[in-house]
Amino acid sequence: MHQTFAADTLFVALYDQATNMIRFPYEIGGGERVRTEPIEPGKGLTSRVVESRLPLRFGSTAESQAHEAIDVGGYQTES
């Protein structure tokens, strides 16, 4: 996936309705594998996608931060 999208930072998030948790089975941060513990839906863009069931796309880090992106690990993203 990392090579397909040619991105230094990306993740896959899965929502488990039975436990009301979002987990991250695949994460790359700064070109390296990272691991984030599961989280409950709340603040942030991932929670917004889970709750709305609609995709989000931003063209810059500034734009995503303006829409309440949570900076995890200091990795800059553009979508």
Side-chain angles (χ1 to χ4, degrees):
M1 185 177 295
H2 174 86
Q3 292 173 340
T4 300
F5 291 105
D8 287 337
T9 302
L10 64 95
F11 65 90
V12 172
L14 300 175
Y15 174 65
D16 182 342
Q17 188 174 17
T19 62
N20 192 39
M21 297 294 282
I22 300 170
R23 55 188 182 83
F24 303 88
Y26 183 82
E27 293 180 88
I28 299 289
E32 303 290 326
R33 285 294 299 256
V34 295
R35 177 163 166 67
T36 299
E37 293 299 318
I39 61 171
E40 291 184 18
K43 295 179 78 175
L45 301 178
T46 301
S47 291
R48 188 184 299 173
V49 170
V50 167
E51 291 169 359
S52 70
R53 298 181 178 201
L54 297 172
L56 294 175
R57 168 79 170 74
F58 301 110
S60 69
T61 299
E63 187 179 359
S64 66
Q65 290 173 341
H67 287 86
E68 301 178 353
I70 297 172
D71 182 9
V72 178
Y75 302 112
Q76 300 289 316
T77 63
E78 299 249 332
S79 71

